[in-house]
Amino acid sequence: MTESAAADAAPRPLPDIQASAPTHDPGFLRRRRTALALLFLAFTFSIMDRQIVSILAEPIKLEFGLSDTQLGFLGGLAFAAFYVTLGLPLAMLADRGGRKTIITLSLATFSALTAVCGLAQNFWHLLLARFGVGIGEAGVNPSSHSILADYYPPEKRSGVMSIIALGANVGMLLGLVVGGFVAHQYGWRAAFFVVGLPGVLLALAVHFFLKEAPRGFSEGRSPAAVQPPPLRESVAYFWSNRAMRHLIAASMVAATISYGMGQWQPAFFMRSFGLTPAQVGVMLAGVFGVMGGLGAVTGGWLTDRLQQRRVPWGVWMIGASQLVMVPFQIAAFLSDSPYVALALFALPAFLSGFYLGPSLALVQSLARLRMRSVAAAVKMLCVNLFGLGVGPMLIGIFSDLMQPSLGQESLRYSLVVFAAAHLWAAVHFYLCGRNLEAGLAEARRD
């Protein structure tokens, strides 16, 4: 049986909301708000569990005697390898039904295995647990984005996806503050337990309270008229749609910089300025958590409004924000004072989240109806394989290579090199905008 035939034959669960329900109905609005809140929390927990290694990197390095390359591998590729491997198969299942079940099981899995990281007795134990965290997180985002696209129409999606993207900053803030405090008071192992176990309770809440909208509900489209295509057909379409292609490339480069720097900034402040994990956690949470969160929401709000005036303007604004960050980040990494560095990081922290919500929303709008979970997974594959997987490890490799000549300051200059890559991301955002109107028209030809 072919893949598409199997999809046709497979039973589909009845939707939790009737297709005829009006969008102003109080019951519908309540279910929509509940879905947004639960999926926001799921993404927040995933980022907190994903990024916790960054604030714990130095005590883990000291206990296990690791190199920067090994730390980069633990914080990046060890997670991303399984995250991207399972992301597409789970997204294909989500496009055929059972999105809530996938989110529930994935959330419970990565939360439990984050706690298991605290039991590691050596590098290899920790590595295996991080593999498991990646396996668990693979199912959350594609299914979440697909559900929200069915609840919210295209003109509201950038703002809604920016709320979801805000979870990245909240998760990072909680990971830095809670992880840094707990590690300082009780050791790095306790920090893994504290951030991991609450996610299991959230998985139960998702199971009981999350309701799905029918496919295409927000656009008044019939899910029965469109069946999921084979994976190769979806990927071929994503590549042929120039706006989609450049959007994914831009997000991939921006994420490589963001994840790489996010993984190593705590270590940079500890090494270059002699600060403790607790001090760094509070300082970075205040700048990157708060400013980054404000930027994520602002970026989505601005994009929605600019796109209503002229379709490419929102994407071009995001490209411009990438350019503005470069001189501030370079100056921050070269600073001799932790307070001057933090002040210089404030604007880049605000602008770095601009692309998150709009890129998630545009992927859903540029994808055809039964390709949306797969589209989110393809974007996540590219973003996480290169961004989360390669970014932290490359910075660690560069730091190790420069260490013989620069000593402890090698990490500082490795980060300076990475800051210049924002120029590359800006080019792709510009090209996405040039092709955006044609790409959106192509996506509606179901």
Side-chain angles (χ1 to χ4, degrees), residues 44-56:
T44 298
F45 276 59
S46 74
I47 295 298
M48 182 171 61
D49 290 8
R50 186 185 309 179
Q51 293 294 102
I52 187 65
V53 172
S54 67
I55 195 66
L56 305 180

Side-chain angles (χ1 to χ4, degrees), residues 80-92 131 134-136 138-139 377 381:
F82 284 90
Y83 183 92
V84 301
T85 300
L86 289 180
L88 277 174
L90 289 174
M92 291 171 66
F131 284 157
I135 291 171
L381 185 152

Side-chain angles (χ1 to χ4, degrees), residues 116-142:
V116 169
C117 290
L119 302 175
Q121 298 301 307
N122 55 49
F123 170 77
W124 298 105
H125 291 166
L126 192 55
L127 182 65
L128 289 174
R130 292 296 292 174
F131 284 157
V133 175
I135 291 171
E137 288 197 25
V140 173
N141 287 333

Side-chain angles (χ1 to χ4, degrees), residues 39 67 151 214 350:
L39 296 177
S67 67
Y151 267 118
F350 178 73

